[in-house]
Amino acid sequence: MSTRQLSGYRPTKPDVAVFVSGVTSMGLEILAGRIIAPQFGSSIYTWGSIITVFLAALSLGYWQGGKRAETASNRRMTWILLGTAAYVAIVVYGSGQLLLSASAMPLPARYASLPAVLILFGPPTYLLGFISPYAAQLSEKKGIGEASGHVYALGTIGSIVGAGATTYFLIPTLGIDMIGLLFGLVLVGTAFALTLPALSPRPAAASVAIALLLVVAAGLGPVTFDHRGDVVYQTQTAYQELEVIDDGDVRKLYLDDARHSAMDLDDPDRHVFEYTRYFHLPMLMVDDPDEVENVLFIGGGGYTGPKDFERKYDVDVDVAELDPAVTQAAKDYFRLEEGENMTAHTADGRRFLRDTDETYDLIILDAYQKDQVPIHLTQLGFMELAEDRLTDDGVFLANVIASPSGAGSEFYRAQYKTIDEAFASTYSFRTSNTGSVQNIEVVATKADTDFTEADLAERNERRDVGLDLSGEIDAYMDEPRTDDVPVLTENHAPVDSLQASTVGQKYVVEQTEEEEETRPEPASIVTGSDPLALARPAPVLESVTADPAQTKPVPA
């Protein structure tokens, strides 16, 4: 199309319908990731399900629309767009309950999200698939080829606009309900415009009714029964949904419905989750804890670990946290104060390490996206980079969530093998005496060391590292079997499949005693129906004493 032709172009009603269908179909696809992720995570299987369902539904819609194209009219497209808008209202209002129902289906982990995606997004995407063949039939272009190319171009341009606007503007700015409302109203407005200038009573009445339905659905929000506590703050960041919730005297940070941090409001210095105590084990492995000067945390959350290190030791703490909204929430609700000894960097952990000239005595990796470490932070290249940024007797700790042995241990063993490939010596410590999915702390030293449990116990007796780590030392594990798992490399890091076996297993989290700090004895292990024994996946919405599905405390 020449410049003169382009300047004189006036879209027809079918052209507008095609463009809007492209905007909404791709916008809904991007939004689907945000709706599905809190329940099922954002693994390759989740996104594979989303893409598969959208493409299959569109293809079916194209096929059926093509078969019925002879009956195409603006009026028919009006009803298709209104039907799609009505289903969007159902998604806005009923997504919470539909996700819970779908998650109860006994499916393998890699297929678990497929029913939810199909129920929520299959029907509206199928309906939108009718628009393109109908528009091609009604096109004023000469010939099938020109009409088809024109429709493909408009639909693709609409998809580009929908993807870009949803990703870069709508999600960071609006909540999921408001975005759904916006898409629904755009569909209703387009449907109404297709009836003009001859206003038909039935489509007009339906447009008003569905618009009201969308407003009510967005106003009420998803139908849920959430007893996690009092919501203190909630927002959609560029990366995830962020919530701060007070459960009695404990404040918790949730990211995509996964619990990442907790703080006792009456005793902010207390370790609510016992596994955060294990972050101090590297202080027993350095030559002299008094010579530890620089510490790096990769992953901020509620900044539990960084605040603890700044308080207990004379060290400078850097934190690489990708999401600036997480750091701001830590300042507003978890008493984070940046200063001379505490610096929060808005950066990806791997990129931060690559770009910095600083060397660190300790590096602690505690970054999670829902239920897994970001893949690029599990790979050999990252481990070698971390090793290079450590001082000569520096120590690296990775918080890994898996079973210590047997089913569900594949990721832990692969991560151990990868870390051991990059570091001179590697150790691991379990945080629960059960064989369930739990936090396992993998600790590696740059220098060649050979610490036994007795060696660490002796150092714990001699050194004052701010808390007694005898119980943590008792959790010393033998070297795991690694001959049947891969080293995780940039070329091959099947983290999703390695973690698939953990789904359906209980995730056990130990919680410290309220008066904890000297730790006279280990906190009791909770299993079964007790609050911190979680079946994965489980409903996101919990009772007062239950934790959310696939929750992993990924501190701060």
Side-chain angles (χ1 to χ4, degrees):
M1 183 179 289
S2 68
T3 304
R4 177 173 295 181
Q5 289 174 316
L6 188 61
S7 63
Y9 171 68
R10 295 293 181 270
T12 64
K13 290 179 180 179
D15 290 347
V16 173
V18 169
F19 178 79
V20 169
S21 71
V23 170
T24 52
S25 63
M26 187 55 70
L28 287 173
E29 186 169 351
I30 299 297
L31 191 63
R34 280 303 178 91
I35 293 175
I36 298 296
Q39 183 68 39
F40 297 100
S42 56
S43 71
I44 190 174
Y45 300 125
T46 299
W47 276 107
S49 295
I50 291 171
I51 294 170
T52 298
V53 167
F54 271 79
L55 290 178
L58 279 174
S59 297
L60 187 59
Y62 293 152
W63 177 52
Q64 289 295 320
K67 290 177 64 176
R68 303 175 186 181
E70 290 295 332
T71 64
S73 66
N74 289 335
R75 184 180 178 86
R76 284 186 177 272
M77 286 194 295
T78 293
W79 287 110
I80 289 171
L81 294 174
L82 288 175
T84 306
Y87 203 92
V88 169
I90 295 174
V91 172
V92 170
Y93 181 70
S95 59
Q97 190 58 48
L98 287 171
L99 285 171
L100 290 177
S101 300
S103 68
M105 296 182 182
L107 293 175
R110 63 185 61 189
Y111 307 117
S113 63
L114 193 57
V117 179
L118 187 61
I119 294 169
L120 288 172
F121 299 102
T125 309
Y126 167 73
L127 290 174
L128 290 174
F130 277 74
I131 299 298
S132 290
Y134 276 22
Q137 180 70 26
L138 298 172
S139 175
E140 298 175 356
K141 301 298 180 181
K142 297 178 181 179
I144 296 174
E146 186 178 2
S148 299
H150 182 71
V151 167
Y152 292 154
L154 283 174
T156 303
I157 292 170
S159 295
I160 293 170
V161 172
T166 306
T167 301
Y168 300 112
F169 176 71
L170 295 180
I171 288 178
T173 306
L174 303 174
I176 289 175
D177 297 343
M178 289 300 103
I179 299 172
L181 172 63
L182 178 61
F183 285 145
L185 292 179
V186 167
L187 289 167
V188 170
T190 304
F192 184 77
L194 293 180
T195 67
L196 299 177
L199 188 62
S200 301
R202 288 183 62 195
S207 297
V208 173
I210 293 173
L212 290 174
L213 179 64
L214 283 162
V215 171
V216 171
L220 293 177
V223 56
T224 57
F225 195 59
D226 188 348
H227 281 171
R228 292 176 299 173
D230 298 324
V231 178
V232 177
Y233 177 69
Q234 187 276 338
T235 188
Q236 288 286 336
T237 80
Y239 300 94
Q240 56 215 332
E241 181 183 43
L242 184 155
E243 297 171 288
V244 177
I245 295 178
D246 285 352
D247 181 12
D249 60 357
V250 174
R251 173 164 292 172
K252 298 176 183 178
L253 173 69
Y254 287 83
L255 300 177
D256 276 344
D257 276 348
R259 186 187 55 185
H260 278 234
S261 298
M263 181 181 73
D264 188 327
L265 294 172
D266 296 328
D267 183 8
D269 295 342
R270 180 172 76 88
H271 292 258
V272 176
F273 301 129
E274 188 168 334
Y275 82 97
T276 60
R277 296 172 53 92
Y278 287 71
F279 292 172
H280 296 269
L281 281 171
M283 298 298 281
L284 301 179
M285 297 186 180
V286 295
D287 289 341
D288 184 352
D290 292 332
E291 294 182 358
V292 173
E293 297 178 344
N294 297 308
V295 178
L296 172 65
F297 279 81
I298 297 177
Y303 282 66
T304 303
K307 290 185 298 181
D308 199 37
F309 268 70
E310 182 194 32
R311 185 177 67 254
K312 283 185 167 64
Y313 311 120
D314 182 19
V315 296
D316 292 329
V317 180
D318 285 336
V319 183
E321 168 56 55
L322 180 62
D323 192 340
V326 170
T327 299
Q328 189 60 51
K331 292 178 180 178
D332 294 341
Y333 300 102
F334 292 89
R335 305 189 185 183
L336 169 66
E337 295 182 5
E338 286 192 83
E340 182 180 351
N341 302 115
M342 171 76 75
T343 306
H345 304 268
T346 300
D348 170 77
R350 184 164 181 167
R351 180 172 294 182
F352 178 83
L353 275 181
R354 185 193 66 196
D355 295 341
T356 187
D357 295 326
E358 186 70 71
T359 56
Y360 293 93
D361 301 293
L362 306 179
I363 296 177
I364 297 174
L365 173 63
D366 190 31
Y368 270 81
Q369 186 177 36
K370 178 64 176 179
D371 54 357
Q372 66 178 205
V373 180
I375 291 176
H376 68 293
L377 300 182
T378 68
Q379 297 164 344
L380 180 60
F382 169 74
M383 301 305 170
E384 292 173 338
L385 178 61
E387 192 270 352
D388 184 63
R389 293 294 186 269
L390 284 171
T391 55
D392 289 342
D393 77 327
V395 182
F396 173 81
L397 181 146
N399 179 32
V400 177
I401 297 175
S403 298
S405 61
S409 69
E410 289 87 348
F411 174 63
Y412 154 59
R413 294 185 290 114
Q415 189 72 103
Y416 183 101
K417 184 175 184 178
T418 304
I419 294 172
D420 197 49
E421 185 83 7
F423 289 86
S425 302
T426 309
Y427 310 87
S428 57
F429 301 81
R430 64 198 301 159
T431 60
S432 169
N433 291 329
T434 73
S436 301
V437 174
Q438 60 187 269
N439 296 83
I440 300 174
E441 310 309 320
V442 180
V443 188
T445 59
K446 184 169 183 174
D448 188 8
T449 57
D450 187 23
F451 291 117
T452 64
E453 186 176 338
D455 293 332
L456 295 175
E458 190 271 333
R459 287 193 172 196
N460 184 57
E461 289 293 326
R462 286 192 295 107
R463 295 182 176 183
D464 180 12
V465 296
L467 67 172
D468 178 16
L469 295 172
S470 57
E472 286 74 18
I473 294 168
D474 289 342
Y476 186 106
M477 296 169 63
D478 293 332
E479 181 178 349
R481 175 189 173 187
T482 59
D483 59 324
D484 61 336
V485 292
V487 171
L488 303 175
T489 66
E490 283 70 10
N491 183 53
H492 183 59
V495 173
D496 294 295
S497 60
L498 291 170
Q499 288 191 317
S501 60
T502 65
V503 176
Q505 295 197 45
K506 289 178 181 177
Y507 171 40
V508 176
V509 183
E510 300 238 18
Q511 188 164 346
T512 61
E513 300 293 338
E514 300 244 347
E515 56 277 2
E516 160 285 291
E517 196 54 47
T518 58
R519 196 178 187 276
E521 57 185 56
S524 60
I525 296 170
V526 293
T527 56
S529 60
D530 285 341
L532 297 175
L534 308 180
R536 304 174 63 232
V540 170
L541 306 175
E542 64 210 353
S543 67
V544 174
T545 59
D547 288 332
Q550 300 184 8
T551 293
K552 299 187 182 330
V554 181

